[in-house]
Amino acid sequence: MRADMFKVIVERPRWASRHAPAVKLKKDRNVARKFVGHKRHAWEEAPYTKSLSENLAPLKRYLNKQRGRRWDDVFSEICQSLDTGSTVKMHVREHVEDFIMVRVRVDRQGTWLGQHKWRGAQPLDSWWPDLYVDPDDGIIKETNALRSALGLPGRHAFVRVCTCYPQGPFADFKRLCETSILIKRKGLWFHCELDRDPKCGAPHLRFELIEKQWETHERWKVVKMAQLSSKALKRHGLHNCGGDM
C-alpha cells in the first residue's frame, strides 16, 4: 500500500459544501429579512447537510489487487501505512470493510454469514462486498465465485432483484433493498445508504427522508448520500429534471 494513501483518499472538498442555491433575498422565504448570512442560508436552503466526500477508489483498487493473498499479510501492510496514531488514518481504515467481508463464518446449517459493521450478521444471499476472507485458509477471494459454487445468483443479479422491492405510488422514491434508497430532491436523484433496516413502509420512510426526520431520532441514520451518475440513472431507468420537490 502506498504510504500517502490516507492523503489521496481524504483530501478533497466536503460533499454538499456548495449545493445551496445562490443568495437571493427576493426569493427568501422570510420576506421581512434584509440580510442573511451564508451559513444560515446554506442551513435553510440546502436539500441536505454537509458530509465527507472521500475518494475511496484507490483503496478499492488496492484491495482488488490483493486477491489470492492472506488477509493477515494484507492487513499488516494496511496497518503500516494507516496506524492508530492518526484520527484521519483511523477513519480511512474504517472504510476497508466497505470493500471486503472480513469476519466470515459458516454456521451449523452450512449457511455462510458475514458480520457487517452496520447490519450485523448477513447471509451470503443478501448484500456482500466483492471480496471476502475465507474462514478456512484466511485467503482473500471473490464473492461471486463463492456464490457460483453454492448455486446462488451473482452479486449484480442480486442488485437487480432488489429493484423489485415494493415501492408504493411515488414517482420520487425507489427502494432497492432494506437499507438502500433512491430519492429525488429538487429534480435530482440521490442514492441513500441507511445504517440499518428502518422496518417501516415506503410512505413513512419517504416522508422521514424528505423531511429529514432521521436527524432527530436514533432509530436509523443516513450514512451516505450521493447523486446518481448518468450510468446509474440509465441502469435504474430514471432521469433528472428541474422544478421537482
Side-chain angles (χ1 to χ4, degrees):
M1 172 178 282
R2 53 189 295 176
D4 61 343
M5 177 67 78
F6 73 100
K7 293 183 179 180
V8 175
I9 290 176
V10 302
E11 288 190 353
R12 62 190 298 187
R14 290 180 66 186
W15 183 81
S17 60
R18 301 174 179 85
H19 285 190
V23 179
K24 301 286 186 181
L25 285 178
K26 62 182 180 181
K27 298 181 180 180
D28 197 344
R29 298 177 186 177
N30 187 349
V31 295
R33 186 160 51 190
K34 302 301 181 183
F35 172 82
V36 58
H38 289 289
K39 285 187 177 181
R40 175 169 290 278
H41 170 73
W43 183 81
E44 291 180 355
E45 300 297 333
Y48 27 74
T49 58
K50 285 185 180 180
S51 62
L52 298 177
S53 178
E54 299 96 336
N55 175 27
L56 298 176
L59 179 60
K60 184 177 182 179
R61 287 196 298 268
Y62 167 78
L63 291 172
N64 284 333
K65 292 179 181 179
Q66 310 310 311
R67 286 173 292 184
R69 296 185 60 195
R70 286 184 54 81
W71 167 246
D72 290 346
D73 298 335
V74 175
F75 188 65
S76 295
E77 294 180 3
I78 293 175
C79 292
Q80 289 177 4
S81 299
L82 305 175
D83 58 71
T84 58
S86 167
T87 303
V88 174
K89 293 180 180 180
M90 281 298 298
H91 175 73
V92 174
R93 281 173 60 167
E94 291 177 352
H95 284 291
V96 170
E97 293 190 37
D98 292 343
F99 307 111
I100 180 170
M101 187 68 79
V102 176
R103 295 164 290 173
V104 179
R105 62 185 175 88
V106 183
D107 65 12
R108 295 180 179 178
Q109 288 74 37
T111 302
W112 285 71
L113 299 172
Q115 189 69 24
H116 193 276
K117 62 182 180 181
W118 295 112
R119 307 180 187 121
Q122 296 290 306
L124 183 60
D125 57 359
S126 66
W127 184 88
W128 274 34
D130 291 332
L131 302 173
Y132 77 99
V133 178
D134 193 314
D136 293 330
D137 53 21
I139 302 296
I140 298 175
K141 299 180 180 180
E142 292 188 16
T143 302
N144 272 342
L146 177 60
R147 287 180 181 274
S148 178
L150 296 177
L152 298 173
R155 180 174 180 270
H156 296 291
F158 166 74
V159 173
R160 288 194 294 271
V161 170
C162 285
T163 59
C164 299
Y165 201 94
Q167 305 296 326
F170 307 114
D172 57 359
F173 177 89
K174 196 168 185 178
R175 192 169 185 176
L176 304 182
C177 62
E178 290 87 349
T179 58
S180 185
I181 315 294
L182 302 181
I183 192 164
K184 197 174 187 181
R185 300 296 307 272
K186 295 188 176 180
L188 302 177
W189 280 97
F190 294 88
H191 180 209
C192 300
E193 281 287 346
L194 312 184
D195 64 344
R196 69 197 73 174
D197 183 359
K199 299 186 183 302
C200 61
H204 184 74
L205 179 58
R206 173 181 174 273
F207 174 79
E208 290 203 343
L209 284 171
I210 291 176
E211 299 298 328
K212 299 183 180 180
Q213 291 193 354
W214 56 271
E215 296 179 345
T216 61
H217 62 65
E218 297 296 332
R219 298 194 308 275
W220 52 270
K221 296 292 183 184
V222 176
V223 296
K224 182 180 180 181
M225 180 182 287
Q227 185 176 335
L228 291 185
S229 64
S230 57
K231 184 181 294 186
L233 288 170
K234 184 177 180 180
R235 183 170 67 250
H236 292 289
L238 307 173
H239 65 276
N240 293 327
C241 60
D244 293 3
M245 292 183 63

